[in-house]
Amino acid sequence: MEIINGTVSFAQCDMHFVRKFGIIQATDMVLDYKTVNPLPFIYDTYQLASFLDLSRKGLFALVKNCDAQYRTITVQKKDGDFRCLQAPSSPLKRCQKRILCGMLNVLPVSKYAKAYVRGVSLAENAAPHTGKRYLLKLDITDFFGSIRFGQVYSAVFHTGNFPRQIGAMLTTLCCKEDALPQGAPTSPALSNLVMYRFDNAIGHWCEKRGITYTRYCDDMTFSADVPLFHVYEKVKSMLGDMGFFLNEKKTRFVTSANRQVVTGLVVNDKVGIPSAYKRQLRQEIYYCMRYGVVSHMQKAHIDGTAEDYVSVLLGKVAYVLSVCDSEQFRKYYQWLKREEMRLLLGEIGQISLL
């Protein structure tokens, strides 16, 4: 359906809804809904199937077999441990992207949430904590896996937004085995929406006490010029009421006498990249420039293609430049871009000879 100048134009998928209520009541229902709700108006499965670009039969089949639509991918983390991602099938992923773009992205996110928000960087998560005497870092155990079906339904797909059947189907399409799957495109946005009330509640509580709070996915950071032990107890209790638990191994109380790091950035005096990270990156690029990318990869036993490695280095340099302006790293970026183009042209040349 379309709404132009207060006039509703119904599509074929809306006809079942229109026949049920009549054209006048159906129009009033849509207009009343849209005056207070930014989400698309979806009353029945005909409209939901159309929104997701599925047949109605295909919609029911996908919802019924949703848990079977995932495959597990194991990724090694920096600390040597492994993270299991649940990758949705192509049909399910397409549906989830439509839900993300057409629904989740139009809903408000707490100002304290800094991850998965367009235009917000790691530096913006770290900057509010600069120059504080005390820093508290907390981590939520199995963050996505701890967000349950009921929480997703209550945060987004409840009866205030959709009829019960539609809300349950949308929630099912975004969950796997009663939880948010880490790997689905909808999970990051849904996690922010589920945490919306918590973020605002603890954020306002902190502001009244002169404490700064931000959350970047499962990483919560608090800073102030007063000790923060009482904050730890408050947060632990609030999260416990929601079914979350703190990863005690990652709980950190850090004073300004030590290096204070927030989501990988040093914040003691100003936001900056750790010197060890920049030193390692400079060394890698130096060897690439002196010996050539391929030769350096061979000597350093780096797997993968030269194109992929250059792309990774470009990302790291761009990350440094997003935090601090550096003439040296700008030159590195320009060299890597030229190297990327040279490798690409070489690959195209080889293909043309075949």
Side-chain angles (χ1 to χ4, degrees), residues 100 104-105 107-126 128-129 140 143-144 182 185-196 199 213-221 262-263:
L100 174 65
L104 308 184
N105 283 348
L107 294 173
V109 174
S110 172
K111 68 178 183 178
Y112 304 102
K114 303 301 181 181
Y116 318 124
V117 179
R118 184 173 296 179
V120 177
S121 65
L122 283 171
E124 290 178 71
N125 177 63
H129 304 287
I140 301 174
F143 181 51
F144 287 108
Q182 189 170 1
T186 44
S187 292
L190 283 170
S191 71
N192 276 342
L193 295 170
V194 167
M195 295 294 289
Y196 183 82
D199 286 335
Y213 163 66
T214 62
R215 181 180 59 81
Y216 196 91
C217 187
D218 56 355
D219 292 324
M220 294 173 291
T221 305
V262 177
T263 50

Side-chain angles (χ1 to χ4, degrees), residues 173-207:
L173 290 170
C174 296
C175 290
K176 180 182 186 295
E177 297 174 354
D178 192 40
L180 280 188
Q182 189 170 1
T186 44
S187 292
L190 283 170
S191 71
N192 276 342
L193 295 170
V194 167
M195 295 294 289
Y196 183 82
R197 290 185 179 180
F198 169 86
D199 286 335
N200 285 344
I202 194 66
H204 294 156
W205 183 87
C206 286
E207 284 183 1

Side-chain angles (χ1 to χ4, degrees), residues 114 121-137 210-214 221-226 228 254-273 323:
K114 303 301 181 181
S121 65
L122 283 171
E124 290 178 71
N125 177 63
H129 304 287
T130 303
K132 301 294 179 65
R133 187 176 179 184
Y134 297 96
L135 189 74
L136 168 62
K137 299 197 295 181
I211 300 168
T212 299
Y213 163 66
T214 62
T221 305
F222 302 85
S223 61
D225 292 323
V226 296
L228 297 169
V254 188
T255 68
S256 56
N258 299 287
R259 191 178 71 159
Q260 297 173 319
V261 179
V262 177
T263 50
L265 299 173
V266 179
V267 296
N268 289 72
D269 299 312
K270 62 179 182 178
V271 177
I273 304 288
V323 177

